[in-house]
Amino acid sequence: MDSLGPKAEWRFRERKLGLFSCLRREQGVSTVVEVGMGTAPNLKHYAKDVDRIIGVDPNMAMHQYARKAAEAAGAAAKLQLVTGTAEALPLEDASADAVVMTHVLCSVRDQQQALAEVRRVLRPGGKLLFLEHVAAPEGEVLHAVQRALNPVVGFVGHGCSATRCTLAAIERAGFASLDADSFKVSFWGPAAVIAPHIVGCAVK
Ligand SMILES: C[S@@+](CC[C@H](N)C(=O)[O-])C[C@H]1O[C@@H](n2cnc3c(N)ncnc32)[C@H](O)[C@@H]1O
């Protein structure tokens, strides 16, 4: 991920700049929890503007890359890394001003449980910021292709699924408000199977 990530990351730059523009201490955002932080490609977009970042990931091998990304963003002292899953966040109730999830809800075992946990750790008025690849609409050829290739996606992507209806899961999660946009990423070749995306913000 550390070597392949940057090759795809530029495609999300503008979306992420918009999405993370609310992560500012002047806007009441001090503590950010990033679930499934991975190699931490998002830190460069917001780390300097908040006070405390808690990165949660079940894969401890990611931590060294996340630390490196935090150092590059000049935010090493703000980052606390925790081993854990989205479905059982090892964090206190109402302890986060914002939660960030990018390309994670495709991999969690139980989306509804993960989103319930996100709501639990957010303070009232806190925001979930998400950017995720999702299932193509039923009836589209790509939807059938995603279903056929999903075992391969799961193998290559360590449990990732191309057929998740993530927006519906977020809608069901009981947030007070939800603002989301759908878009397609210009991936070529096999990566086109994860072209459909959603981006948005849910408020507790
Ligand atoms: C495709 S990577 C995305 C990493 C990063 N968020 C990004 O945008 O590049 C998926 C990450 O989710 C983590 N992950 C997988 N299952 C998870 C779970 N149940 N809870 C939290 N994180 C999980 C993986 O270890 C991996 O770091």
Side-chain angles (χ1 to χ4, degrees):
M1 276 180 62
D2 195 47
S3 53
L4 287 176
K7 295 195 173 85
E9 198 55 28
W10 64 268
R11 292 183 162 87
F12 302 106
R13 187 183 144 76
E14 291 306 315
R15 296 275 177 181
K16 287 189 173 181
L17 285 175
L19 182 65
F20 299 140
S21 63
C22 65
L23 297 180
R24 303 271 181 276
R25 59 180 72 79
E26 309 85 71
Q27 296 190 37
V29 178
S30 175
T31 299
V32 176
V33 172
E34 187 159 342
V35 180
M37 176 173 260
T39 57
N42 298 326
L43 286 182
K44 59 181 171 296
H45 297 301
Y46 70 82
K48 67 180 186 316
D49 298 306
V50 300
D51 298 314
R52 185 172 179 225
I53 303 156
I54 303 167
V56 182
D57 204 293
N59 185 349
M60 284 177 71
M62 295 291 182
H63 290 191
Q64 59 181 306
Y65 299 102
R67 268 190 215 100
K68 207 172 69 179
E71 276 162 26
K78 296 178 187 178
L79 179 65
Q80 178 190 350
L81 290 165
V82 180
T83 305
T85 66
E87 293 92 333
L89 290 173
L91 302 170
E92 301 211 342
D93 295 0
S95 55
D97 299 308
V99 171
V100 169
M101 294 181 103
T102 66
H103 296 131
V104 178
L105 283 163
C106 51
S107 297
V108 302
R109 274 183 216 283
D110 184 336
Q111 287 191 326
Q112 236 50 66
Q113 173 64 24
L115 289 162
E117 279 291 272
V118 168
R119 274 192 66 217
R120 180 182 65 75
V121 304
L122 279 173
R123 64 160 167 80
K127 293 175 177 176
L128 164 64
L129 304 175
F130 57 89
L131 187 151
E132 298 284 346
H133 67 80
V134 294
E138 262 185 68
E140 281 193 10
V141 173
L142 182 56
H143 185 87
V145 174
Q146 286 177 325
R147 290 181 75 88
L149 293 184
N150 215 31
V152 182
V153 174
F155 180 72
V156 175
H158 295 263
C160 171
S161 168
T163 60
R164 291 282 176 90
C165 299
T166 302
L167 189 54
I170 299 172
E171 281 166 355
R172 281 196 299 273
F175 286 92
S177 69
L178 170 62
D179 184 20
D181 192 14
S182 299
F183 66 102
K184 270 195 178 173
V185 181
S186 55
F187 282 134
W188 291 95
V193 77
I194 57 161
H197 273 70
I198 55 167
V199 61
C201 172
V203 181
K204 178 175 173 181

